Amino acid sequence: MRLLLIRHGETFSNLRRLLDTALPGAALTPLGLRQAAALPAALAGEDVDALYVSTLVRTQQTAAPLAAARGLEPLVRGGLRELSAGDLELRGDDAAAELYMRTAFAWSAGDTGLRMPGGENGVEALARLDAVMAEAAGSGAGTVAMVSHGAAIRMWTAARAENVDVPFAAAHPLDNTAVVVLEGTPEEGWKALSWMGAPIGGPVRADHRADSPAGRPVTPPPVGPPPVSPPPGAAGLD
């Protein structure tokens, strides 16, 4: 099975750098809606047979243009929701972001018993994500697109893809509407083919971000002060 893991478009919580993981979650910004509208063209070369989304509103908004363009009914699955922030929910400070991602990548590295403060542990998080992957693989679909969340995609891929490790996933945050492409099955394992348009294990083109609708904004963002840079590994986490 070919698996397209797509991070949702930009949200209002993203602008404030908040750990927004609870239902229903923030909606897409105007730029996020334009990013979502660009997905059908960005994925024009993919024969998508099934489309899955999480229970958070931002993934459903992101998937809507693709669903309309392909005549697909999005399948809503709670297993694709963002990693629960627990006691860190709606915090936007560097310490919270660092603890959140450190815990997530500990799960990828095998410390699945570790629990997010007030939230889920790695066994629970991986089990729910694995269940959706298994459902999709069992459906017989050749190519499946799943609109999920930055930390969930990075954590699961680092844990399950044979050629993506924690240092790589930690060093490569996902832009909004960026795509990670994998091939495989739950039984045979998974191999990542590309990360935000850059081939895994191959040369990285200087312009690879153009392959993602989020790589270059569809229209210029509003003029304003430059965004505050997040701590290493914290960007693209919800």
Side-chain angles (χ1 to χ4, degrees), residues 79-90:
L80 292 178
R81 70 184 183 277
E82 183 57 293
L83 307 179
S84 171
D87 296 340
L88 306 177
E89 184 70 16
L90 294 182

Side-chain angles (χ1 to χ4, degrees), residues 10-90:
E10 181 189 78
T11 73
F12 289 98
S13 287
N14 290 156
L15 294 179
R16 299 172 61 193
R17 299 176 58 224
L18 300 179
L19 288 167
D20 178 5
T21 71
L23 289 169
L28 298 185
T29 65
L31 175 57
L33 292 171
R34 294 195 294 272
Q35 290 168 339
L39 268 177
L43 299 179
E46 299 283 357
D47 295 323
V48 179
D49 301 308
L51 177 61
Y52 288 73
V53 297
S54 83
T55 46
L56 278 72
V57 66
R58 55 187 177 268
T59 64
Q60 297 169 37
Q61 288 182 302
T62 301
L66 181 62
R70 301 297 180 91
L72 296 170
E73 182 67 30
L75 302 172
V76 181
R77 298 291 183 267
L80 292 178
R81 70 184 183 277
E82 183 57 293
L83 307 179
S84 171
D87 296 340
L88 306 177
E89 184 70 16
L90 294 182

Side-chain angles (χ1 to χ4, degrees), residues 65-166:
L66 181 62
R70 301 297 180 91
L72 296 170
E73 182 67 30
L75 302 172
V76 181
R77 298 291 183 267
L80 292 178
R81 70 184 183 277
E82 183 57 293
L83 307 179
S84 171
D87 296 340
L88 306 177
E89 184 70 16
L90 294 182
R91 283 180 53 178
D93 55 286
D94 290 352
E98 290 169 359
L99 175 57
Y100 180 82
M101 291 310 303
R102 185 167 63 250
T103 303
F105 287 133
W107 298 343
S108 301
D111 189 4
T112 54
L114 184 64
R115 186 168 296 279
M116 195 75 72
E120 62 190 335
N121 65 24
V123 173
E124 296 161 345
L126 284 165
R128 62 177 172 82
L129 286 158
D130 286 340
V132 183
M133 308 307 171
E135 177 190 340
S139 71
T143 299
V144 175
M146 296 186 179
V147 184
S148 185
H149 305 265
I153 293 171
R154 293 164 72 197
M155 186 280 293
W156 183 86
T157 303
R160 297 297 188 240
E162 64 183 43
N163 58 335
V164 173
D165 58 15
V166 170

